[in-house]
Amino acid sequence: MGALPLPTLDQAVSALRDGATSSRELCESVLGRIDTVDSRIGAYLYVDREEVLADAAAADRRRADGSQLGPFDGIPIAVKDNMAVRGQPLTCASRILKDFVSPYDATVIERLRSQGFIFLGRTNMDEFAMGSSNENSGLQATSNPHDSSRVPGGSSGGSAAAVAGGEAIVALGSDTGGSIRLPASFCGVVGVKPTYGRVSRYGLVAFASSLDQIGPLTRTVRDSALMLDIISGRDPRDSTSLPEPAGGCASCLSAASVNGMRCGMPREYFEVEGLDPSVRECVENAARQLEAEGAEIVEVSLPMLKYAIAAYYIIATAEASANLARFDGVRYGLRDSEGEAESLLAQYRLSRARGFGDEVKRRIILGTYVLSSGYYDAYYLRAQKVRTLIRKDFEHAFTECDVILSPVSPEPAYKKGELATPLRMYLADIYTISVNLAGICGLSVPCGATESGLPIGLQMLAPALHEKRLLQAAATYEAIRGDL
Amino acid sequence: MTGALHGYEAIIGLEVHIQVRTSTKLFCGCPNRFGGEPNTRVCPVCMGYPGVLPVLNREAVRKTLGAGLMCDCTINTYSKFDRKNYFYPDMPKNYQISQYDLPFCRGGTMPVSGVGLSGGEMQSKGIGITRIHLEEDVAKSTHFGSYSGIDFNRAGIPLMEIVSEPDMRTPDEAYAYLTGLKQIMQYAEISDCDMEKGQLRCDVNVSVRPVDQTAFGEKIEIKNLNSFRAVHRALEYEIDRQISDLREGASLRQETRRWDDALGMTAVMRVKESAHDYRYFPEPDLMPLEIGTDWRNEIQDSLPERPGVRRDRFVAHYRITPYDADVLTQDKLLADYFERAVAKGATPKTVANWMQTELLRELSDSAQGIAESPVAPEALAELVALIEDKTISGKIAKDVFHIMFATGKAPSVIVEEKGLKQVSDDAEIGVFVDRALAENPAVVEDYRTGNKKSLQFLMGQVMKFSRGKANPQSANRLLKERLEASEG
């Protein structure tokens, strides 16, 4: 793929500060790269070139007269198309929102905007974040930059591909069951899912309210730490956001060391059928490298793993069935006018039938079913109880270790169309999904590649609100790993 | 309509929705006000836009707890919100954030007693309140012939749902329950319960059964009731209709009926389908609430005295009649006014009379409420004192009051300015008496021959000469004395 022409976020900040580059130059590099490769990669659904350059000019003017908004003023960022940016499309890669323009900013966007970030464009995703390959997008296909016959992973596939393909310095994604970590792993970039409640969800189009989190996709761990410092923190508009203040993730990295750190490797994770040998080897190799640096590798157990996928697909679809009910064409979005509706509800059915893709419909129906009278106790209620046990699994494991190491996915990026049934796709979430159920933090950091050059990610997990520990461990690993 | 029950009894339950008076909506910062241009008091949150989240209005919770405490409810120490899922255009999210199994309040009572609307004495009893919960109101639909319009100004306004036990047996009890609820809500400033503004909505469930039967009859729901009187009329009609049908051998089925106030009858709206499956589940965007005893006690302490309790206290403490106490405690502000006036030392009974006659009449004539009264309670007290110390007569006082109401001036100022002080000096009055007697010898003769009514004419003369200021009791006494004295 060749060396990427873009700086990291960290490098961009220094270059802007030192006058070695300008916002205009940065934006033009990114836009130029998009022009060159995006017809092949398909990471972006929308880019407003004029708007971006106008914003860049404004940032440069501010820097020139000493009124810059901060160190990040003028840096472009790509945003997954499910986070509200005022005046930009908010489609969630769905036909039902194809022409919808957001009238407001998400809280994370507000925070980034106040730092001077420029909202470069909207990245492709699985429709309403439902998917693990990005193939469920209702609008276009995205390819893995390392091999265009393969998927980039999902649901934040566009953001991961953009960063990996040099089409963005940094990007925002969202993670409900692995949707940041998995595409990060498939595309060979860093992706972080913060602790549930760490980052405001106000302005993130909800898929599963109790599982969703916004997080960064970047080329380095430090870049992700810088991003988290900006976007985290309590938001009075999100009642599920935690009171912990933002900051300190980037500054703690310099003190990072794994000496004496206990790295837990869950036995059950390495017993999963279908775990690709090259994935296993990469992850075990990473463990050995950490051990060589003074870390202690311990075996831990997460026996509830076998229930995680079932619990997730009950809880997430149930919440989604309600969250997606608002898309009825009454106030915004697609209102079908071609069919002949004899009644109001028939009108809704036409709009939703035409506007939603198959996977979305599948999950809405599944979610409606598990909540329905007579089934609530057996499915939804029971799944929530299992969820508590999964959380306790992690709490217990973290008494025996400081961070957990595991694969991100049983196999690296597969070919488009290869996972023929939805169920096979669901099963591929095995390593990432329980992290969202437990609410803890986790990330994917590149740890190797297959013989044919397909990236493989190492998943690292830490207890809730221990982002600093997580990022320190990841940064140390990144340093000892060296270039891939 | 006969009203006769023919050995049947009616079982009535009421479901009342009351909008809570708060400055903003339940889950967003939009103003909580009635009216306004459609869709001007809206934001992405109450419009259910993609990506928005609800934030709970604490004042709405506080007032709901207050409503529960005013009705002797138990406050659940652990409570939460739930999503109630169904599709309808007046529901922005196509789910309503409501409460399912852990409402804020449960198990309260609304006492009813006294004379019912139809004039008969009601049995004193407590109507059970099953639960009070909080939910967001829905948008308002208006139908324009070929299309409908939806105004989201109302969407998201906090709404209390108060469900009664099926304890009511007569339309009078239902009416009394509603007026009792309204009174409590107004007392505690929880809601103004103005049905015309949609602040209170009421659905009725009614069934009938033979008196000796324990099983309930088929429950029929009545909607489109736009006033408390409509509730009363609809119940009278419906109970009669159900009993008639059953007596004719027809059977009833569960259905929803619409009350037509103009025609004075109910008609079937829809047959009750199988119960709607709302797929309730706990609202994941809102934290559950723990209502601690500290907060509960603080709310309890901040609540006003209950109307019934206040009425009883007025009777016992101020020694006014139960009827007077009823009128005065009808409205909290009226009761406050009364107590402020009495606190100034005015005789309670006199104040009560003045308030019920002159004050309320003047307020009614000028279409004002007690809060806008130009006569402050202290001023009324001053007026009463002027009567009691005989500075002015009761009759003059009425004129003074009228001027007080029109100008807002103090009574003593008015008396001074208009020279209305009562003349109580016998010598002064004597002059007027003598003049009356001197100028009307025929009337005097009339009196002496036994026509006591001529005294009134002579009194009238005395009052005329004194421009109404003669102390009537003194004038009466002096007239009689001098009439009798000169009698042989």
Side-chain angles (χ1 to χ4, degrees), chain A residues 100 103-104 201-204 209 236-240 322-323 325-326 328 331-332 344 348 368 371-373 376 380, chain B residues 47-55 83 85 87-89 92-95 152 277 279-282 284-287:
Chain A
F100 181 73
Y104 74 104
R201 291 185 298 118
Y202 182 78
L204 170 67
S209 313
R237 281 174 295 194
D238 176 356
S239 304
T240 62
N323 286 327
R326 66 192 66 196
D328 57 14
R331 289 145 290 123
Y332 51 79
L344 179 68
Y348 288 5
T368 306
L371 289 174
S372 60
S373 171
Y376 176 89
Y380 188 78
Chain B
M47 290 284 285
Y49 267 53
V52 298
L53 296 171
V55 177
R83 290 189 184 178
N85 299 282
F87 283 81
Y88 208 65
K93 299 183 292 296
N94 286 316
Y95 61 83
F152 290 88
D277 181 6
R279 302 190 301 282
Y280 285 101
F281 69 100
D285 290 332
L286 293 171
M287 294 291 101

Side-chain angles (χ1 to χ4, degrees), chain A residues 172-218:
Chain A
L172 285 181
S174 71
D175 190 313
T176 306
S179 290
I180 286 175
R181 291 161 286 153
L182 189 98
S185 171
F186 278 16
C187 292
V189 298
V190 174
V192 182
K193 185 205 89 71
T195 305
Y196 181 81
R198 197 46 124 155
V199 177
S200 169
R201 291 185 298 118
Y202 182 78
L204 170 67
V205 181
F207 159 15
S209 313
S210 71
L211 300 163
D212 294 341
Q213 270 293 276
I214 292 173
L217 287 118
T218 60

Side-chain angles (χ1 to χ4, degrees), chain A residues 373-389:
Chain A
S373 171
Y375 296 104
Y376 176 89
D377 283 359
Y379 292 114
Y380 188 78
L381 185 57
R382 199 170 195 88
Q384 290 283 29
K385 293 181 179 183
V386 168
R387 180 183 190 163
T388 302
L389 295 177

Side-chain angles (χ1 to χ4, degrees), chain B residues 404-424:
Chain B
M404 282 165 74
F405 196 91
T407 65
K409 283 188 180 162
S412 50
V413 170
I414 297 168
V415 168
E416 206 53 53
E417 276 177 9
K418 305 256 178 200
L420 294 170
K421 277 206 176 126
Q422 190 166 241
V423 176
S424 296

